[in-house]
Amino acid sequence: MSWGWSLWVMFLVVLNLGITFFLFLWAPRAKVPVQPDGTSGHVWAHGVLREGVRRLPRWWLLLSGLMFAVGFGYLALFPGFGRWPGLLHWTSHAELARDQEANAAKLDELMQRFAKYPIEQLAGDPAAEQLGWRLFEDNCAACHGREAKGNARLGAPDLTDRDWLYGGDGQAIYASIHDGRSGVMPPWASLGEDNVKNLAQYVLGLSGAPHDAARAAAAKPLFATCAACHGPDGKGNPALGAPNLTDRVWLHGGSVADIEATIRGGRQGHMPAWSPRLTDDQVRVLAAYVYHLGHRGDATPQ
């Protein structure tokens, strides 16, 4: 704080405390003119209500005096009076640093224990689950939702359905979080609108959903183009992040209009890398939590 602002703050403190302290000392001794009946002379309701004049109660004086003592004591001990650091030399930065150091010591002990177990086993540890939940809320919930159910509008997958674009084992999930993922589905509008509609029906048929069999049959030869990524049977390819088209799990929506839009315009997905923000130990715990989300009830506890 500059000296100019410091002097301004000191002036305001002295002014406000000085005025209020003067009134506190003066009020009990002030002589208020009263009528013979002990009232001030102010009346309402045609004289039915009259304003009485009484001394301030002792408890009020004692409590107010105590508050002034606390206020003066605070300004002496802690910063608040301009650039005065206070007798205790307390700062919020120092307190934050102490709290962070104490928290880091607790976390370090936990992380050392967590490092002994593979991610799949760590998913069953209650302490790891609690820490992973906090990390998930702070970093992942904005896209995947607090319940991790995903967001079709953003292309953020549901993390609770056991369907994994890049693999669902611990190391694959760790890699997704640590390094990020980028997926591209090229647009196929060049095939023509009629072929786009036919392919949408074929994809619906792969998942066993109701579809137009004639259009699906017409699109079967065209699917050879898609098979390069999704495989000849449409089961997907985790190495490329190409989704399984047979399991009725849809990243961008499974309606006819959604599938047609995906084929026609393509899709682009980006999962940012969290290694610049999170430590490797934090990524492991977060990966264990995500693994837990997709394997509720069957993760092996320690």
Side-chain angles (χ1 to χ4, degrees), residues 284-297:
R284 285 191 79 253
V285 174
L286 185 52
Y289 179 74
V290 173
Y291 183 91
H292 159 77
L293 290 174
H295 298 80
R296 294 182 188 273

Side-chain angles (χ1 to χ4, degrees), residues 245-256:
L245 302 178
T246 69
D247 56 8
R248 294 200 182 193
V249 177
W250 305 97
L251 184 59
H252 297 278
S255 69
V256 174

Side-chain angles (χ1 to χ4, degrees), residues 202 206 220 223-224 226-236:
Y202 184 82
L206 287 175
K220 188 172 182 179
F223 189 76
C226 312
C229 292
H230 294 281
D233 53 2
K235 295 289 187 180

Side-chain angles (χ1 to χ4, degrees), residues 5-286:
W5 281 113
S6 177
L7 292 173
W8 175 245
V9 170
M10 293 167 71
F11 168 75
L12 292 178
V13 170
V14 171
L15 178 66
N16 285 277
L17 274 179
I19 291 175
T20 53
F21 191 64
F22 168 77
L23 292 175
F24 168 71
L25 296 176
W26 173 78
R29 297 170 174 79
K31 302 297 183 182
V32 180
V34 295
Q35 302 295 323
D37 60 358
T39 65
S40 68
H42 295 161
V43 297
W44 296 269
H46 305 289
V48 175
L49 299 177
R50 294 175 298 171
E51 181 183 53
V53 178
R54 295 183 181 179
R55 291 285 180 184
L56 291 170
R58 182 170 296 178
W59 66 264
W60 188 93
L61 294 172
L62 292 174
L63 183 60
S64 298
L66 178 62
M67 292 300 100
F68 276 108
V70 170
F72 291 130
Y74 179 88
L75 288 176
L77 296 174
F78 297 95
F81 189 60
R83 297 180 66 173
W84 166 249
L87 297 175
L88 297 180
H89 295 279
W90 177 92
T91 66
S92 58
H93 295 289
E95 182 169 346
L96 175 61
R98 286 193 298 270
D99 290 345
Q100 288 178 326
E101 185 178 354
N103 188 60
K106 293 179 180 179
L107 285 178
D108 185 59
E109 182 180 349
L110 274 178
M111 292 303 184
Q112 289 181 22
R113 179 166 66 83
F114 293 163
K116 299 176 181 178
Y117 306 100
I119 290 174
E120 291 83 355
Q121 187 175 354
L122 188 59
D125 186 294
E129 181 184 343
Q130 184 178 16
L131 179 57
W133 171 77
R134 176 55 62 193
L135 289 169
F136 183 88
E137 282 217 325
D138 290 346
N139 300 281
C140 313
C143 292
H144 294 279
R146 293 186 75 249
E147 302 300 323
K149 293 294 185 181
N151 187 326
R153 185 175 61 84
L154 298 176
D158 184 342
L159 302 177
T160 67
D161 58 8
R162 302 196 182 198
D163 186 80
W164 305 95
L165 291 176
Y166 294 93
D169 62 86
Q171 285 304 313
I173 298 172
Y174 175 91
S176 293
I177 300 171
H178 188 273
D179 303 323
R181 301 288 189 181
S182 291
V184 178
M185 158 78 178
W188 294 102
S190 59
L191 296 175
E193 187 62 23
D194 198 52
N195 283 330
V196 167
K197 293 182 179 296
N198 290 345
L199 276 171
Q201 294 302 316
Y202 184 82
V203 171
L204 284 170
L206 287 175
S207 65
H211 63 286
D212 186 320
R215 280 189 173 273
K220 188 172 182 179
L222 290 173
F223 189 76
T225 306
C226 312
C229 292
H230 294 281
D233 53 2
K235 295 289 187 180
N237 187 339
L240 300 175
N244 184 351
L245 302 178
T246 69
D247 56 8
R248 294 200 182 193
V249 177
W250 305 97
L251 184 59
H252 297 278
S255 69
V256 174
D258 290 331
I259 297 172
E260 289 179 357
T262 298
I263 298 171
R264 183 186 303 111
R267 300 288 186 182
Q268 287 190 342
H270 179 65
M271 159 77 176
W274 290 98
S275 52
R277 177 181 172 92
L278 303 176
T279 66
D280 290 349
D281 288 334
Q282 289 174 323
V283 172
R284 285 191 79 253
V285 174
L286 185 52

